[in-house]
Amino acid sequence: MPHDIRFSEQALELQETARQIAEKYVRPVAAKYDRAQEYNREAAQAVAEAGLFKVFIPEEYGGYGAGSLALCLVTEELAKADSGFGVAYAVNALGSTPIVVGGTEEQKKRWLPAVASGKKFCAFCLSEKNAGSDAGGLAVTAERDGNDYVIRGEKKWTTNGGVADLYTVFCVTDDSSKSRRISAIVVEKGTEGFSIAKVEDKMGIRCVPVVETHYDSVRVPASNLIGEREGMGFKHAMMTLDRARPCVAAQAVGAAQGALDLAVVYSNRRRQFGQPISSFQMVQKMLADMAMQTEASRWLVYASAAAINEGVKNVTKIAAMGKCFATDVAMHVATDAVQIFGGYGFMEDYPIAKFFRDAKILQIYEGTNQIQRMVVARNLIKEAAALAHLEAYIPQEEQQTYADQKVETL
Ligand code: CAA
């Protein structure tokens, strides 16, 4: 846990800027881009001009180095207007973080300034058809050939694919190694043999492309290998996900708040039995639960982001808890928001159906919530050593009850 959740003045200013952009460039056209399954380039341009891509890039490489909490505040605001646009923004942080956490000085200087300025967008290519939750089970290979790597295989569900200029591709470089099997390599758009093979037709987050990327003997310079040596890819992927999951969770907080806000407004306007439905206790109970859950997830997410800012050594558990809790809340809140809209909520004429469709993927990507729970439980079990003093209070098999215990300290 962090010791403090501190909002810098800069973070609050960035949050306000994101709110203004969301209300001007994102919310009014969210339905249009959703229907067309098109990327909102105008909003992305506004985000770039406002400097919001600088938030997650360190100062030395053209960014603001504003930290994880600022990144969460910005993502939350964008997602409140359109969860799809929230991830379209956040995936640039996901795709560039392997370079930030594992890249050499030369690589950071080569790639990060263009990401900070919004000139280059990023994508993170980990998942494959047969390697989703089991991220270690990749099949895409990168073979060393002189001063190059030659990449072969297919990646699945690449968010931002086609729009992105830089693709962080996780490849097998040493199949004989158990723990150093994988390396991350940057592939730039336009490299021969690299193609966007299938653009997925999705249930939600339709304004951001999710694609298959294919690698047909893609040759890249060996200097595109992230870091100084092969085999660091899995570690870099996990470290990246630890830092990116609070951002998905922030997207979920924004989505939940967005759905709740619409439900409140609608419940005041909609009249049944001669009065606004917001006057009925059952609707009030739903609204109150939605608000409590959203607020609880918000603070867990902020705590996970603050822990990253503070440099807490192991953020894996709190990042997974925030991702899992906030995204389950977003699904629940969006479901109840549709319920409050009743029959109208089921129709695409109203904005709430989109919140419901957009929420589902939050429980799946950047690690399913089953994987998050597993990660949390694994960490709890590891930390059990710190609870050794409680052993004395748990009866041994030969003892009958807790009352039989003779605990010396009592
Ligand atoms: N930080 C640093 N290192 C870590 C780590 C972490 N958080 N977690 C694990 N590692 C290290 C371990 O220490 C271990 O290292 P050694 O071999 O040196 O001992 C190594 O990585 C292997 O660890 P595990 O044995 O724990 O690995 P595992 O195979 O059991 O899998 C997992 C762990 C948590 C299930 C992992 O596979 C995982 O997170 N799966 C989910 C994948 C995922 O989130 N995919 C998201 C795709 S991106 C996406 O969805 C983006 C989008 O579209 C928007």
Side-chain angles (χ1 to χ4, degrees), residues 187-216:
V187 174
E188 302 206 22
K189 189 181 192 170
T191 309
E192 201 180 330
F194 170 75
S195 62
I196 304 297
K198 181 184 179 209
V199 181
E200 305 287 354
D201 183 9
K202 308 182 296 302
M203 173 197 283
I205 60 158
R206 288 164 60 87
C207 72
V208 60
V210 173
V211 308
E212 273 180 26
T213 51
H214 286 194
Y215 306 81
D216 183 8

Side-chain angles (χ1 to χ4, degrees), residues 9 29 99 102 121 209 232 240 277:
E9 221 168 275
V29 287
I99 304 171
F121 294 145
M232 297 305 291
T240 296
I277 62 169

Side-chain angles (χ1 to χ4, degrees), residues 345-381:
F346 196 66
M347 306 304 155
E348 290 290 343
D349 300 345
Y350 282 68
I352 205 67
K354 177 177 173 303
F355 275 87
F356 179 85
R357 290 187 285 101
D358 286 350
K360 187 62 213 171
I361 190 63
L362 294 164
Q363 296 176 300
I364 299 171
Y365 62 23
E366 290 198 32
T368 63
N369 283 2
Q370 285 74 17
I371 290 291
Q372 306 307 323
R373 287 181 166 90
M374 187 196 81
V375 168
V376 172
R378 274 186 185 181
N379 277 276
L380 281 174
I381 293 161

Side-chain angles (χ1 to χ4, degrees), residues 94 133 135 159 179 234-235 238 242 245 316 365-367 378:
L94 174 71
S133 291
T159 307
S179 59
F234 193 78
K235 264 213 155 58
M238 293 300 115
D242 283 348
R245 283 174 181 154
T316 304
Y365 62 23
E366 290 198 32
R378 274 186 185 181

Side-chain angles (χ1 to χ4, degrees), residues 25-144:
Y25 295 99
V26 181
R27 192 190 294 279
V29 287
K32 179 180 115 181
Y33 285 106
D34 177 63
R35 263 196 302 275
Q37 278 203 95
E38 255 176 45
Y39 187 76
N40 184 345
R41 286 188 184 276
E42 202 191 349
Q45 182 65 27
V47 165
E49 280 168 15
L52 296 183
F53 290 117
K54 295 187 199 293
V55 172
F56 50 86
I57 301 290
E59 275 180 290
E60 311 88 278
Y61 312 107
Y64 295 148
S68 188
L69 192 49
L71 175 59
C72 285
L73 292 175
V74 168
T75 306
E76 182 184 330
E77 287 308 320
L78 299 175
K80 207 193 288 177
D82 181 346
S83 184
F85 191 75
V87 69
Y89 166 75
V91 88
N92 291 290
L94 174 71
S96 55
T97 299
I99 304 171
V100 174
V101 299
T104 62
E105 199 51 32
E106 182 278 319
Q107 290 170 334
K108 291 177 190 179
K109 285 189 181 137
R110 182 164 23 137
W111 287 309
L112 297 180
V115 178
S117 65
K119 285 200 184 86
K120 290 202 170 168
F121 294 145
C122 300
F124 182 81
C125 308
L126 181 65
S127 303
E128 299 176 5
K129 276 180 190 158
N130 295 315
S133 291
D134 181 9
L138 303 182
V140 167
T141 57
E143 196 185 334
R144 185 75 192 241

